Amino acid sequence: MAATSQNLSTLSSSSSTLSLKTKTLPKPSFLPLPRPRRSTPLLAAHNNPISDVVLSKTPRHDDDDKPREECGVVGIYGDPEASRLCYLALHALQHRGQEGAGIVTVNNNVLQSVTGVGLVSDVFNETKLDQLPGNLAIGHVRYSTAGQSMLKNVQPFVASYRLGSVGVAHNGNLVNYRTLRTKLEENGSIFNTTSDTEVVLHLIATSKHTPFILRIIDACEKIEGAYSIVFVTEDKLVAVRDPHGFRPLVMGRRANGAVVFASETCALDLIEATYEREVYPGEVIVVDRDGVQSLCLMSHPQPRQCVFEHIYFALPNSVVYGRSVYESRRHFGEILATESPVDCDVVIAVPDSGVVAALGYAAKAGVPFQQGLIRSHYVGRTFIEPSQKIRDFGVKLKLSPVRAVLEGKRVVVVDDSIVRGTTSSKIVRLLKEAGAKEVHMRIASPPIIGSCYYGVDTPSSEELISNRMSVEEIREFIGSDSLAFLPFDSLKRYLGNDSPNFCYACFSGIYPVEPRELKVKRVGDFVDDGLNGSLESIDGGWVQANRNLKEVKVGGT
């Protein structure tokens, strides 16, 4: 998976610098590391002591029936307004995590951190951003997987060790986290959170290698799974992507030369940074006063990029894995119209993630697209239910049918996915109660039959309706007049030559990296998020891995 010990010990003192003036760059080769410069150890200034804990109950309502991307990251080097640009970029990535946000900057050799629970706009204001001067910053938005959302688990994390301090923001999930944590604790490490990201910090601190970059490579040798990470030290911004490239990470540059990393290109667009390229799978990029250096020190097998970024997670205006998300979703809708046609009067979408696919379906079918469902953008995660139960209250609070569009019509409704099926059944009922003559569901993804272990919050496989029922049984369960999913083979045909580069585990149940220890969210589980109890207290959220899982074949089958 990563560099060998021999590679680490034989690096020479020369260095190579990549020019970022053009958008097309060669893939990095094995490049030696520069010798470290002696510098003053960096102090860490925290604004998130252990006692500063905010509890926020976030019960899952059955209308909130979508997979959740667990976080987004940003890194900025070389701009005097780094913290404010980071703040804006996190706004653009807010869809990737809504329960916590944080920014770390470097000023006068001190890492300064502000983190908080809530939306980016809840956590930061002018006063807090004034506390984060400097031209070097990283940021993070977080979606917690279960239980309570704790301030101490909100990233970026900052830690001090004998050679200085380091800040880290991580998007992904380590499949060998529990094993690594147990080993580190046996050797004396003390953990402050339940986040797998903290393991990376401990591996860096306990590494015997110097300089700092070699410690990162050493840590990456030991971790398995999905990780797109940005690190910050007193004088460096470092971006790392796992060898399979599960989660996205892109690089751009502002007009003043500042280098920017982000989970999606929509963040670059907001802060007027020009997209240059992706961080390659297995690549380590170092940005400091010497420029930008690309170090490909980890072996990179066949990439396994998360296909669900194009189906649901990313914003339509982003470019992910070199492809327009908007174009992908529009084409998925066209495929559904071609391969699963039905006589209808109007095409509508489940907003917001189904809109682009619905536009593609309507255009291909030659049927008008209209807004048959209006989404409320003012509903928070928690609300007060009426004492007398109102049927489908949660869905009605978020989605309102438009009777003028629906009444007496044969309606095709396009959604991005079906997970448990509970939301889809309520939407069908809402549409029929609003007068729809027929409701035909079209889903712009293949059936989801497997849980994700690479940084996406999904239910356990027994809760996934497509893992338990046939398409016809699902149709009966949700009450629609017809139901069709995006055919798996058609999805791969659309991706063409890039098809072998994607991870399809949620559709196939075949995992590129064997999830030997699995943390899966189950309905009703209470998972401690760092304040009380030990790892054993979250045993209900761990399931035994299938030891018969095999490496996914080229093509994803």
Side-chain angles (χ1 to χ4, degrees):
M1 168 184 169
T4 64
S5 298
Q6 183 180 4
N7 287 339
L8 290 172
S9 62
T10 58
L11 293 172
S12 67
S13 60
S14 61
S15 64
S16 298
T17 303
L18 282 180
S19 171
L20 294 182
K21 295 182 180 180
T22 61
K23 292 186 179 181
T24 303
L25 296 178
K27 287 193 175 183
S29 58
F30 185 92
L31 299 178
L33 284 166
R35 292 189 183 276
R37 294 183 294 270
R38 294 187 63 84
S39 57
T40 305
L42 198 60
L43 301 176
H46 288 279
N47 287 334
N48 56 340
I50 294 176
S51 59
D52 190 6
V53 176
V54 177
L55 303 181
S56 174
K57 290 189 176 181
T58 54
R60 177 188 286 276
H61 298 276
D62 59 5
D63 61 287
D64 191 17
D65 190 19
K66 295 291 182 184
R68 297 293 180 184
E69 173 64 70
E70 290 185 10
C71 47
V73 300
V74 177
I76 299 173
Y77 181 97
D79 196 295
E81 296 289 324
S83 65
R84 281 168 168 76
L85 292 173
C86 200
Y87 166 79
L88 293 173
L90 292 179
H91 263 294
L93 298 176
Q94 187 74 86
H95 60 286
R96 301 184 76 89
Q98 298 88 47
E99 294 187 4
I103 295 175
V104 171
T105 60
V106 180
N107 185 47
N108 295 327
N109 290 344
V110 175
L111 268 63
Q112 298 173 305
S113 171
V114 173
T115 60
V117 172
L119 301 175
V120 174
S121 57
D122 296 329
V123 175
F124 295 98
N125 53 35
E126 195 71 28
T127 300
K128 289 188 177 179
L129 290 173
D130 286 341
Q131 299 170 14
L132 297 169
N135 67 355
L136 176 55
I138 60 173
H140 189 270
V141 287
R142 174 179 185 259
Y143 170 77
S144 66
T145 56
Q148 300 168 328
S149 184
M150 300 292 182
L151 179 57
K152 61 194 268 184
N153 272 4
V154 177
Q155 298 181 38
F157 294 151
V158 177
S160 299
Y161 68 111
R162 64 186 181 86
L163 297 181
S165 293
V166 57
V168 59
H170 169 211
N171 176 25
N173 188 60
L174 305 183
V175 299
N176 62 337
Y177 154 72
R178 202 177 192 190
T179 301
L180 291 173
R181 175 168 174 152
T182 299
K183 183 176 180 181
L184 286 164
E185 288 179 326
E186 288 174 349
N187 291 328
S189 292
I190 298 174
F191 285 79
N192 187 44
T193 76
T194 57
S195 170
D196 56 354
T197 307
E198 193 176 4
V199 164
V200 180
L201 288 175
H202 281 273
L203 291 173
I204 290 172
T206 57
S207 173
K208 304 301 181 184
H209 296 280
T210 55
F212 174 72
I213 304 305
L214 285 183
R215 289 174 173 259
I216 290 180
I217 302 300
D218 191 25
C220 289
E221 281 191 308
K222 298 178 176 65
I223 59 179
E224 298 175 9
Y227 53 92
S228 289
I229 307 177
V230 287
F231 297 93
V232 65
T233 68
E234 64 171 340
D235 62 349
K236 288 180 175 60
L237 174 63
V238 181
V240 183
R241 195 165 171 216
D242 69 79
H244 287 89
F246 285 110
R247 309 253 60 85
L249 189 62
V250 297
M251 178 173 63
R253 188 184 289 271
R254 283 175 45 81
N256 63 357
V259 176
V260 181
F261 297 101
S263 293
E264 289 183 38
T265 59
C266 61
L268 305 183
D269 296 338
L270 181 59
I271 62 173
E272 299 180 340
T274 301
Y275 167 69
E276 296 196 336
R277 67 174 177 92
E278 287 187 293
V279 177
Y280 300 121
E283 184 179 20
V284 180
I285 298 181
V286 183
V287 187
D288 59 16
R289 60 175 174 263
D290 291 333
V292 179
Q293 298 174 18
S294 172
L295 310 167
C296 191
L297 296 180
M298 293 180 287
S299 63
H300 39 284
Q302 184 78 44
R304 294 294 181 216
Q305 303 161 153
C306 176
V307 71
F308 229 83
E309 292 284 349
H310 276 264
I311 291 169
Y312 175 70
F313 295 137
L315 287 186
N317 59 318
S318 285
V319 174
V320 177
Y321 313 134
R323 290 175 173 267
S324 164
V325 174
Y326 186 97
E327 289 301 313
S328 293
R329 293 179 187 169
R330 181 182 61 82
H331 196 82
F332 297 158
E334 292 176 353
I335 294 173
L336 284 169
T338 301
E339 301 195 20
S340 303
V342 65
D343 291 335
C344 63
D345 303 308
V346 65
V347 177
I348 69 170
V350 177
D352 295 311
S353 54
V355 170
V356 179
L359 288 169
Y361 188 104
K364 192 70 173 179
V367 177
F369 169 82
Q370 295 194 44
Q371 276 191 289
L373 287 168
I374 306 298
R375 186 177 191 89
S376 171
H377 294 277
Y378 306 102
V379 179
R381 289 280 303 189
T382 57
F383 45 78
I384 301 172
E385 286 201 48
S387 56
Q388 184 175 355
K389 184 74 172 180
I390 295 177
R391 189 175 66 173
D392 304 334
F393 173 76
V395 168
K396 288 179 178 178
L397 199 66
K398 293 183 178 182
L399 297 173
S400 302
V402 182
R403 185 173 291 272
V405 172
L406 302 169
E407 196 163 24
K409 302 290 181 59
R410 298 169 298 174
V411 179
V412 166
V413 54
V414 181
D415 201 357
D416 59 89
S417 60
I418 293 181
V419 181
R420 294 186 179 92
T422 51
T423 299
S424 297
S425 64
K426 293 179 180 182
I427 288 173
V428 170
R429 191 156 58 236
L430 281 181
L431 297 176
K432 291 196 171 184
E433 288 175 352
K437 182 180 178 181
E438 298 175 6
V439 176
H440 303 274
M441 289 289 294
R442 294 296 180 266
I443 307 302
S445 72
I448 300 173
I449 65 169
S451 297
C452 179
Y453 308 107
Y454 309 128
V456 178
D457 176 27
T458 52
S460 56
S461 58
E462 59 265 25
E463 293 179 62
L464 300 170
I465 193 169
S466 292
N467 194 45
R468 298 183 285 108
M469 297 183 184
S470 67
V471 174
E472 175 59 22
E473 288 172 333
I474 298 172
R475 185 201 67 77
E476 291 181 3
F477 176 83
I478 66 176
S480 61
D481 293 277
S482 72
L483 169 66
F485 290 85
L486 179 71
F488 190 15
D489 290 342
S490 299
L491 169 63
K492 292 196 289 184
R493 275 197 300 272
Y494 166 70
L495 296 172
N497 293 334
D498 292 333
S499 177
N501 297 335
F502 284 87
C503 174
Y504 305 106
C506 54
F507 306 137
S508 68
I510 303 172
Y511 295 89
V513 177
E514 182 180 343
R516 292 173 296 178
E517 49 184 50
L518 314 180
K519 185 178 180 182
V520 179
K521 191 172 182 180
R522 292 172 172 164
V523 172
D525 279 348
F526 176 81
V527 180
D528 175 73
D529 205 16
L531 184 63
N532 301 303
S534 63
L535 277 176
E536 283 64 38
S537 68
I538 63 173
D539 191 59
W542 291 82
V543 299
Q544 188 64 37
N546 180 358
R547 294 294 182 177
N548 295 321
L549 292 174
K550 297 179 180 179
E551 178 75 18
V552 70
K553 297 177 182 178
V554 173
T557 58

